[in-house]
Amino acid sequence: MARTSSQTSTHVSNASRINGRAVLEAGLIAGVVFLVLEFITGIVGAATSLGPATFTLQTALNVGAAPPSAGLVTAAMFLHFTLSLLTTFVLGFIIHRWARHYAIVAGLLYGAFLYSGNVVLFIVIEPELGLVNDTLMLVNYAIYGTAAAWLYKRRQAAS
């Protein structure tokens, strides 16, 4: 049976929509994955144990290496998960029509892109910081992007 033009346009418009629930779940879970990776990286002394968001706020507030207060950690976690949701939304927008294997590769590259943006931003904010422990941070961001893409595609398929 042939499709009518209204059936075809409905099918196309539904396929072109990003799945908000998939973004929410993928963003939050990938955000937790990133925090766990940062914590592990912090244990080996290669990064801040509470992640880049805490470091960013410490730098912005000019509190130096003082132990983070509960308020700072709360603000950092809010910032971290807000950024995780926003970056996963952008990633979801890019990959929502792609096959899972292409989306996962794109997620890995997207994570590397996010890392590069953060490096540039930190060098602008704190020039003497330089590139410290970049390999592990790059890996963390790449895993974050890969996880976000995989989780998004998995939730998208389940919907």
Side-chain angles (χ1 to χ4, degrees), residues 15-27:
S16 66
R17 288 192 190 148
I18 189 169
N19 186 324
R21 183 179 176 116
V23 165
L24 180 66
E25 292 176 9

Side-chain angles (χ1 to χ4, degrees), residues 7 37 147 155:
Q7 288 173 327
L37 291 169
R155 277 305 301 155

Side-chain angles (χ1 to χ4, degrees), residues 19-20 28 45 52 70 78 90 96 108 119-120 123-125 128 132 148 152:
N19 186 324
L28 292 176
F78 178 76
V90 171
H96 74 279
L108 184 137
V119 167
V120 169
I123 289 174
V124 168
I125 292 173
E128 66 270 3
V132 179
Y152 177 81

